[in-house]
Amino acid sequence: MDIMTGAGLAGGLAVIVAMVLMGGDLHMFISEHAMIIIFGGSGAATMIRFPLSVLMHGLPLGMKFAFTMSRLSAHDLVDELARIAEIARKQGPVGLEKVETDEPFLAKGIRYVADGYDLDFIRDNLERDRDNFLLHLNEGSKIYRAVGDCAPAFGMIGTLIGMVQMFSNMSDPSKLGPFMATALLATLYGALVANLLCLPIADKLHTKLIDEETNRTLIIDGILMIRDSKSPTLVREMLLAYLPEKHRHAEGEPVPA
């Protein structure tokens, strides 16, 4: 679980609610009309921007990865692949059949090596799997960014609608307050949806896309070296290049060859 996403959302909502309650009643800030224009308008605009297949893949995948972390870090993967290389050197590919890992993508690569697939088959399939996954994750980031971009615009549209309604009913003072409230709340909702939810999630997904690309490429290189019967020491030293310079020597010594 990525606690920072949940903590950030909870903290942001707590600040907003606290400020609302310090200055009045929570019911003052609830408007069905503003919700309709923000969520309905943003949803409609997003449906126009993206095909249904992209929405079906991107939305759930984006929400899942916004609140979850990779099972293994890049450093953990280097250690894991060096350990697997040691097993393959001592027991051969058959020994990998009993290897267990928490990373599904790595498990797939291990299975390919254990089953004796050739190098090109393993490379092509793992790279295709990686590229498809990154494509869907990037689609998720684009969808949330699209919602974040258009929510404030629809907030402004809601404000303009409320202002038109207000000025059209100047003769009835009792209607001026509700129309003005709807106008202002539409802007508030649009700003909150964009800046507290959608744009931060889009940025989080972009960061995780970069991390996943690095980790999966690291796995592919490691699996190919294991399939090519490289020594555990060489596997580790080659894969340490994926780590930041300051972590390469501090986070682990080479496995004895």
mmCIF file of all heavy atoms in Angstrom, residues 38-71:
data_model
loop_
_atom_site.group_PDB
_atom_site.id
_atom_site.type_symbol
_atom_site.label_atom_id
_atom_site.label_comp_id
_atom_site.label_asym_id
_atom_site.label_seq_id
_atom_site.Cartn_x
_atom_site.Cartn_y
_atom_site.Cartn_z
ATOM 1 N N ILE A 38 -19.793 19.670 -12.496
ATOM 2 C CA ILE A 38 -18.396 19.268 -12.399
ATOM 3 C C ILE A 38 -18.206 17.813 -12.808
ATOM 4 O O ILE A 38 -17.440 17.498 -13.730
ATOM 5 C CB ILE A 38 -17.857 19.493 -10.972
ATOM 6 C CG1 ILE A 38 -17.835 20.982 -10.639
ATOM 7 C CG2 ILE A 38 -16.450 18.901 -10.844
ATOM 8 C CD1 ILE A 38 -16.987 21.804 -11.569
ATOM 9 N N PHE A 39 -18.925 16.901 -12.134
ATOM 10 C CA PHE A 39 -18.711 15.482 -12.389
ATOM 11 C C PHE A 39 -19.338 15.048 -13.715
ATOM 12 O O PHE A 39 -18.748 14.263 -14.464
ATOM 13 C CB PHE A 39 -19.261 14.658 -11.233
ATOM 14 C CG PHE A 39 -18.514 14.871 -9.950
ATOM 15 C CD1 PHE A 39 -19.061 15.634 -8.929
ATOM 16 C CD2 PHE A 39 -17.250 14.330 -9.776
ATOM 17 C CE1 PHE A 39 -18.376 15.845 -7.746
ATOM 18 C CE2 PHE A 39 -16.547 14.537 -8.591
ATOM 19 C CZ PHE A 39 -17.105 15.296 -7.575
ATOM 20 N N GLY A 40 -20.527 15.579 -14.000
ATOM 21 C CA GLY A 40 -21.158 15.240 -15.267
ATOM 22 C C GLY A 40 -20.408 15.819 -16.451
ATOM 23 O O GLY A 40 -20.137 15.123 -17.440
ATOM 24 N N GLY A 41 -20.034 17.089 -16.362
ATOM 25 C CA GLY A 41 -19.320 17.727 -17.464
ATOM 26 C C GLY A 41 -17.932 17.147 -17.668
ATOM 27 O O GLY A 41 -17.517 16.861 -18.799
ATOM 28 N N SER A 42 -17.191 16.944 -16.571
ATOM 29 C CA SER A 42 -15.845 16.377 -16.688
ATOM 30 C C SER A 42 -15.894 14.956 -17.224
ATOM 31 O O SER A 42 -15.067 14.554 -18.060
ATOM 32 C CB SER A 42 -15.140 16.395 -15.324
ATOM 33 O OG SER A 42 -14.992 17.717 -14.846
ATOM 34 N N GLY A 43 -16.866 14.185 -16.749
ATOM 35 C CA GLY A 43 -17.008 12.817 -17.249
ATOM 36 C C GLY A 43 -17.340 12.785 -18.727
ATOM 37 O O GLY A 43 -16.782 11.982 -19.488
ATOM 38 N N ALA A 44 -18.236 13.664 -19.160
ATOM 39 C CA ALA A 44 -18.612 13.705 -20.574
ATOM 40 C C ALA A 44 -17.425 14.116 -21.448
ATOM 41 O O ALA A 44 -17.180 13.525 -22.507
ATOM 42 C CB ALA A 44 -19.781 14.670 -20.774
ATOM 43 N N ALA A 45 -16.677 15.124 -21.006
ATOM 44 C CA ALA A 45 -15.513 15.575 -21.785
ATOM 45 C C ALA A 45 -14.452 14.479 -21.878
ATOM 46 O O ALA A 45 -13.807 14.312 -22.923
ATOM 47 C CB ALA A 45 -14.927 16.834 -21.154
ATOM 48 N N THR A 46 -14.268 13.729 -20.785
ATOM 49 C CA THR A 46 -13.288 12.637 -20.788
ATOM 50 C C THR A 46 -13.725 11.516 -21.715
ATOM 51 O O THR A 46 -12.898 10.910 -22.407
ATOM 52 C CB THR A 46 -13.092 12.090 -19.360
ATOM 53 O OG1 THR A 46 -12.708 13.167 -18.489
ATOM 54 C CG2 THR A 46 -12.007 11.028 -19.330
ATOM 55 N N MET A 47 -15.019 11.243 -21.775
ATOM 56 C CA MET A 47 -15.526 10.221 -22.699
ATOM 57 C C MET A 47 -15.309 10.624 -24.151
ATOM 58 O O MET A 47 -15.065 9.777 -25.016
ATOM 59 C CB MET A 47 -17.014 9.989 -22.424
ATOM 60 C CG MET A 47 -17.293 9.308 -21.093
ATOM 61 S SD MET A 47 -19.048 9.305 -20.659
ATOM 62 C CE MET A 47 -19.716 8.304 -21.980
ATOM 63 N N ILE A 48 -15.371 11.918 -24.422
ATOM 64 C CA ILE A 48 -15.111 12.395 -25.785
ATOM 65 C C ILE A 48 -13.629 12.251 -26.127
ATOM 66 O O ILE A 48 -13.271 11.899 -27.248
ATOM 67 C CB ILE A 48 -15.564 13.859 -25.931
ATOM 68 C CG1 ILE A 48 -17.087 13.959 -25.756
ATOM 69 C CG2 ILE A 48 -15.155 14.427 -27.286
ATOM 70 C CD1 ILE A 48 -17.602 15.382 -25.690
ATOM 71 N N ARG A 49 -12.767 12.469 -25.157
ATOM 72 C CA ARG A 49 -11.325 12.451 -25.410
ATOM 73 C C ARG A 49 -10.780 11.043 -25.642
ATOM 74 O O ARG A 49 -9.836 10.867 -26.406
ATOM 75 C CB ARG A 49 -10.582 13.064 -24.216
ATOM 76 C CG ARG A 49 -10.699 14.562 -24.106
ATOM 77 C CD ARG A 49 -9.777 15.080 -23.015
ATOM 78 N NE ARG A 49 -9.835 16.537 -22.904
ATOM 79 C CZ ARG A 49 -9.016 17.253 -22.155
ATOM 80 N NH1 ARG A 49 -8.072 16.660 -21.450
ATOM 81 N NH2 ARG A 49 -9.132 18.558 -22.094
ATOM 82 N N PHE A 50 -11.335 10.042 -24.949
ATOM 83 C CA PHE A 50 -10.731 8.713 -24.963
ATOM 84 C C PHE A 50 -11.735 7.663 -25.413
ATOM 85 O O PHE A 50 -12.919 7.739 -25.056
ATOM 86 C CB PHE A 50 -10.216 8.337 -23.565
ATOM 87 C CG PHE A 50 -9.158 9.263 -23.042
ATOM 88 C CD1 PHE A 50 -9.489 10.299 -22.178
ATOM 89 C CD2 PHE A 50 -7.830 9.109 -23.416
ATOM 90 C CE1 PHE A 50 -8.517 11.157 -21.685
ATOM 91 C CE2 PHE A 50 -6.843 9.955 -22.934
ATOM 92 C CZ PHE A 50 -7.200 10.983 -22.069
ATOM 93 N N PRO A 51 -11.268 6.648 -26.143
ATOM 94 C CA PRO A 51 -12.145 5.516 -26.495
ATOM 95 C C PRO A 51 -12.533 4.733 -25.249
ATOM 96 O O PRO A 51 -11.859 4.796 -24.208
ATOM 97 C CB PRO A 51 -11.271 4.663 -27.429
ATOM 98 C CG PRO A 51 -10.139 5.535 -27.845
ATOM 99 C CD PRO A 51 -9.937 6.525 -26.746
ATOM 100 N N LEU A 52 -13.607 3.965 -25.363
ATOM 101 C CA LEU A 52 -14.094 3.183 -24.228
ATOM 102 C C LEU A 52 -13.040 2.193 -23.747
ATOM 103 O O LEU A 52 -12.876 1.987 -22.534
ATOM 104 C CB LEU A 52 -15.377 2.438 -24.617
ATOM 105 C CG LEU A 52 -15.991 1.535 -23.527
ATOM 106 C CD1 LEU A 52 -16.377 2.361 -22.305
ATOM 107 C CD2 LEU A 52 -17.205 0.796 -24.085
ATOM 108 N N SER A 53 -12.316 1.565 -24.676
ATOM 109 C CA SER A 53 -11.315 0.579 -24.283
ATOM 110 C C SER A 53 -10.215 1.204 -23.433
ATOM 111 O O SER A 53 -9.732 0.582 -22.472
ATOM 112 C CB SER A 53 -10.701 -0.064 -25.532
ATOM 113 O OG SER A 53 -10.087 0.919 -26.364
ATOM 114 N N VAL A 54 -9.825 2.439 -23.757
ATOM 115 C CA VAL A 54 -8.797 3.120 -22.970
ATOM 116 C C VAL A 54 -9.322 3.442 -21.574
ATOM 117 O O VAL A 54 -8.607 3.269 -20.574
ATOM 118 C CB VAL A 54 -8.346 4.408 -23.685
ATOM 119 C CG1 VAL A 54 -7.412 5.223 -22.803
ATOM 120 C CG2 VAL A 54 -7.661 4.068 -24.999
ATOM 121 N N LEU A 55 -10.566 3.891 -21.485
ATOM 122 C CA LEU A 55 -11.155 4.185 -20.182
ATOM 123 C C LEU A 55 -11.275 2.929 -19.332
ATOM 124 O O LEU A 55 -11.014 2.957 -18.121
ATOM 125 C CB LEU A 55 -12.539 4.822 -20.364
ATOM 126 C CG LEU A 55 -12.566 6.209 -21.006
ATOM 127 C CD1 LEU A 55 -14.001 6.657 -21.260
ATOM 128 C CD2 LEU A 55 -11.855 7.226 -20.125
ATOM 129 N N MET A 56 -11.652 1.810 -19.943
ATOM 130 C CA MET A 56 -11.833 0.561 -19.212
ATOM 131 C C MET A 56 -10.506 0.054 -18.652
ATOM 132 O O MET A 56 -10.471 -0.545 -17.569
ATOM 133 C CB MET A 56 -12.462 -0.495 -20.118
ATOM 134 C CG MET A 56 -13.878 -0.165 -20.551
ATOM 135 S SD MET A 56 -15.048 -0.152 -19.172
ATOM 136 C CE MET A 56 -15.108 -1.891 -18.774
ATOM 137 N N HIS A 57 -9.410 0.283 -19.384
ATOM 138 C CA HIS A 57 -8.103 -0.152 -18.901
ATOM 139 C C HIS A 57 -7.470 0.882 -17.978
ATOM 140 O O HIS A 57 -6.940 0.544 -16.914
ATOM 141 C CB HIS A 57 -7.154 -0.417 -20.082
ATOM 142 C CG HIS A 57 -7.396 -1.691 -20.805
ATOM 143 N ND1 HIS A 57 -7.976 -1.743 -22.052
ATOM 144 C CD2 HIS A 57 -7.155 -2.979 -20.453
ATOM 145 C CE1 HIS A 57 -8.070 -2.999 -22.444
ATOM 146 N NE2 HIS A 57 -7.587 -3.763 -21.498
ATOM 147 N N GLY A 58 -7.508 2.139 -18.405
ATOM 148 C CA GLY A 58 -6.744 3.167 -17.720
ATOM 149 C C GLY A 58 -7.272 3.563 -16.360
ATOM 150 O O GLY A 58 -6.486 3.722 -15.413
ATOM 151 N N LEU A 59 -8.590 3.712 -16.221
ATOM 152 C CA LEU A 59 -9.147 4.175 -14.947
ATOM 153 C C LEU A 59 -8.867 3.216 -13.796
ATOM 154 O O LEU A 59 -8.316 3.625 -12.768
ATOM 155 C CB LEU A 59 -10.650 4.431 -15.097
ATOM 156 C CG LEU A 59 -11.044 5.762 -15.734
ATOM 157 C CD1 LEU A 59 -12.545 5.819 -15.969
ATOM 158 C CD2 LEU A 59 -10.614 6.922 -14.844
ATOM 159 N N PRO A 60 -9.246 1.928 -13.902
ATOM 160 C CA PRO A 60 -8.981 1.026 -12.761
ATOM 161 C C PRO A 60 -7.502 0.795 -12.516
ATOM 162 O O PRO A 60 -7.062 0.717 -11.368
ATOM 163 C CB PRO A 60 -9.714 -0.264 -13.153
ATOM 164 C CG PRO A 60 -9.878 -0.203 -14.626
ATOM 165 C CD PRO A 60 -9.990 1.247 -14.969
ATOM 166 N N LEU A 61 -6.706 0.666 -13.590
ATOM 167 C CA LEU A 61 -5.273 0.442 -13.405
ATOM 168 C C LEU A 61 -4.619 1.655 -12.753
ATOM 169 O O LEU A 61 -3.767 1.511 -11.861
ATOM 170 C CB LEU A 61 -4.610 0.150 -14.751
ATOM 171 C CG LEU A 61 -3.127 -0.238 -14.695
ATOM 172 C CD1 LEU A 61 -2.971 -1.582 -13.984
ATOM 173 C CD2 LEU A 61 -2.533 -0.328 -16.096
ATOM 174 N N GLY A 62 -5.032 2.857 -13.182
ATOM 175 C CA GLY A 62 -4.482 4.062 -12.590
ATOM 176 C C GLY A 62 -4.826 4.182 -11.117
ATOM 177 O O GLY A 62 -3.965 4.495 -10.287
ATOM 178 N N MET A 63 -6.082 3.909 -10.759
ATOM 179 C CA MET A 63 -6.473 3.993 -9.360
ATOM 180 C C MET A 63 -5.756 2.948 -8.522
ATOM 181 O O MET A 63 -5.320 3.213 -7.386
ATOM 182 C CB MET A 63 -7.990 3.807 -9.238
ATOM 183 C CG MET A 63 -8.523 4.014 -7.831
ATOM 184 S SD MET A 63 -8.139 5.656 -7.144
ATOM 185 C CE MET A 63 -9.104 6.722 -8.234
ATOM 186 N N LYS A 64 -5.578 1.745 -9.075
ATOM 187 C CA LYS A 64 -4.870 0.687 -8.346
ATOM 188 C C LYS A 64 -3.439 1.088 -8.047
ATOM 189 O O LYS A 64 -2.970 0.974 -6.900
ATOM 190 C CB LYS A 64 -4.896 -0.610 -9.162
ATOM 191 C CG LYS A 64 -4.064 -1.726 -8.545
ATOM 192 C CD LYS A 64 -4.029 -2.946 -9.445
ATOM 193 C CE LYS A 64 -3.098 -4.012 -8.881
ATOM 194 N NZ LYS A 64 -3.011 -5.199 -9.779
ATOM 195 N N PHE A 65 -2.715 1.577 -9.046
ATOM 196 C CA PHE A 65 -1.306 1.891 -8.849
ATOM 197 C C PHE A 65 -1.097 3.205 -8.121
ATOM 198 O O PHE A 65 0.003 3.449 -7.612
ATOM 199 C CB PHE A 65 -0.570 1.891 -10.194
ATOM 200 C CG PHE A 65 -0.062 0.536 -10.579
ATOM 201 C CD1 PHE A 65 -0.904 -0.386 -11.161
ATOM 202 C CD2 PHE A 65 1.242 0.167 -10.312
ATOM 203 C CE1 PHE A 65 -0.455 -1.648 -11.504
ATOM 204 C CE2 PHE A 65 1.705 -1.091 -10.637
ATOM 205 C CZ PHE A 65 0.859 -2.005 -11.233
ATOM 206 N N ALA A 66 -2.111 4.044 -8.045
ATOM 207 C CA ALA A 66 -1.987 5.258 -7.238
ATOM 208 C C ALA A 66 -1.935 4.930 -5.756
ATOM 209 O O ALA A 66 -1.346 5.666 -4.966
ATOM 210 C CB ALA A 66 -3.150 6.202 -7.523
ATOM 211 N N PHE A 67 -2.530 3.792 -5.372
ATOM 212 C CA PHE A 67 -2.615 3.428 -3.953
ATOM 213 C C PHE A 67 -1.773 2.209 -3.595
ATOM 214 O O PHE A 67 -1.845 1.724 -2.471
ATOM 215 C CB PHE A 67 -4.077 3.153 -3.568
ATOM 216 C CG PHE A 67 -4.915 4.401 -3.491
ATOM 217 C CD1 PHE A 67 -5.604 4.851 -4.597
ATOM 218 C CD2 PHE A 67 -4.992 5.134 -2.323
ATOM 219 C CE1 PHE A 67 -6.379 6.006 -4.539
ATOM 220 C CE2 PHE A 67 -5.760 6.284 -2.249
ATOM 221 C CZ PHE A 67 -6.456 6.725 -3.365
ATOM 222 N N THR A 68 -0.981 1.699 -4.533
ATOM 223 C CA THR A 68 -0.153 0.535 -4.236
ATOM 224 C C THR A 68 1.286 0.801 -4.636
ATOM 225 O O THR A 68 1.571 1.655 -5.476
ATOM 226 C CB THR A 68 -0.648 -0.720 -4.987
ATOM 227 O OG1 THR A 68 -0.675 -0.455 -6.399
ATOM 228 C CG2 THR A 68 -2.037 -1.111 -4.522
ATOM 229 N N MET A 69 2.190 0.054 -4.035
ATOM 230 C CA MET A 69 3.616 0.146 -4.334
ATOM 231 C C MET A 69 4.065 -1.129 -5.031
ATOM 232 O O MET A 69 3.421 -2.172 -4.926
ATOM 233 C CB MET A 69 4.425 0.313 -3.038
ATOM 234 C CG MET A 69 4.103 1.566 -2.256
ATOM 235 S SD MET A 69 4.760 3.060 -3.024
ATOM 236 C CE MET A 69 6.501 2.833 -2.722
ATOM 237 N N SER A 70 5.180 -1.067 -5.747
ATOM 238 C CA SER A 70 5.767 -2.269 -6.326
ATOM 239 C C SER A 70 6.172 -3.215 -5.201
ATOM 240 O O SER A 70 6.640 -2.784 -4.138
ATOM 241 C CB SER A 70 6.992 -1.910 -7.165
ATOM 242 O OG SER A 70 6.637 -1.093 -8.251
ATOM 243 N N ARG A 71 5.988 -4.509 -5.438
ATOM 244 C CA ARG A 71 6.314 -5.484 -4.403
ATOM 245 C C ARG A 71 7.791 -5.487 -4.069
ATOM 246 O O ARG A 71 8.185 -5.714 -2.929
ATOM 247 C CB ARG A 71 5.863 -6.884 -4.852
ATOM 248 C CG ARG A 71 4.363 -7.052 -4.944
ATOM 249 C CD ARG A 71 3.988 -8.432 -5.473
ATOM 250 N NE ARG A 71 2.557 -8.653 -5.445
ATOM 251 C CZ ARG A 71 1.716 -8.265 -6.379
ATOM 252 N NH1 ARG A 71 2.174 -7.619 -7.430
ATOM 253 N NH2 ARG A 71 0.429 -8.496 -6.264
#
